[in-house]
Amino acid sequence: MIGFYGGLTASIVILSLLMGASSHAARPAALGEALRAHGVLGPRFRRFAAAVLPFAEGALGVVGAAALLTGHQRGLQAVLAVGTILFGLYAGYTRHVLALGGGGPCGCSHQDVPLSHWVTRRAVALAGLALAGTVIAGAGPVRLSAAELITLMLAACACTALLWSLPAALREPSAASVHAPTGATVHQPTGTTVHRTAEGVSTR
């Protein structure tokens, strides 16, 4: 077993890969639709990316989880190194799309999360974590106590959930989704004024 921080970074990357693969499996057409909306890749490359990326995420996640649980450091390093490249490519691609003024969904979730700079920043963070995990995993095995393992698993799940929900949580609402408050009753003054004479007879 690698050290606490190595296990933490590796677990976050592996969980993110598995979450990405499961999201694509939940909505198989979402990635292809997002790539088409971005308007950067041609039809052939779009079909290739939509078919290969979910499979690559799932395969890396499963192999990485097995390597982490069995303490196979070389296998874990290989998975994290490929994960660094994968997340780095995704960060570069999304930045390029945004620089060209493209939009549409990010294609990384079963929800319609719009493409934004927070999607790019999340990919950069995951690439950095994968790179750090690759380096730390080569430092040699470290035996962790039961309490450290439980802490590691809880911290990895919490950090992964926060990173994964970052683009959706920080997206800005569009102008169409902002509605003026309703329900307020506007009272219009009437043009009729009632006057009373000294005798008590009302006049208008």
Side-chain angles (χ1 to χ4, degrees):
M1 179 66 184
I2 60 176
F4 181 86
Y5 293 107
L8 179 61
T9 54
S11 298
I12 293 172
V13 172
I14 291 169
L15 288 174
S16 298
L17 289 169
L18 292 174
M19 288 181 68
S22 63
S23 295
H24 292 141
R27 285 185 59 186
L31 180 57
E33 294 171 356
L35 294 174
R36 183 169 57 255
H38 298 163
V40 173
L41 301 178
R44 183 176 300 179
F45 287 104
R46 284 202 306 265
R47 289 192 295 269
F48 176 79
V52 171
L53 287 178
F55 175 78
E57 288 177 342
L60 285 173
V62 170
V63 174
L68 182 63
L69 293 174
T70 59
H72 196 291
Q73 289 181 271
R74 293 291 181 87
L76 184 60
Q77 280 185 292
V79 168
L80 293 175
V82 177
T84 304
I85 298 172
L86 184 64
F87 286 120
L89 288 174
Y90 189 57
Y93 170 81
T94 54
R95 186 179 185 278
H96 178 66
V97 173
L98 291 170
L100 294 177
C106 69
C108 54
S109 174
H110 66 277
Q111 299 176 345
D112 292 328
V113 178
L115 186 64
S116 67
H117 291 290
W118 288 108
V119 176
T120 303
R121 291 164 186 165
R122 180 182 62 182
V124 171
L126 289 171
L129 288 171
L131 180 60
T134 305
V135 175
I136 298 174
V142 176
R143 184 177 296 276
L144 299 178
S145 64
E148 289 175 324
L149 284 174
I150 294 174
T151 304
L152 188 153
M153 289 186 292
L154 293 175
C157 292
C159 291
T160 304
L162 289 173
L163 271 176
W164 192 257
S165 61
L166 185 66
L170 295 178
R171 65 176 175 177
E172 297 180 359
S174 59
S177 64
V178 179
H179 301 282
T182 58
T185 304
V186 179
H187 298 278
Q188 297 291 339
T190 59
T192 304
T193 305
V194 179
H195 301 279
R196 291 187 179 273
T197 63
E199 292 79 8
V201 180
S202 61
T203 59
R204 296 182 181 271

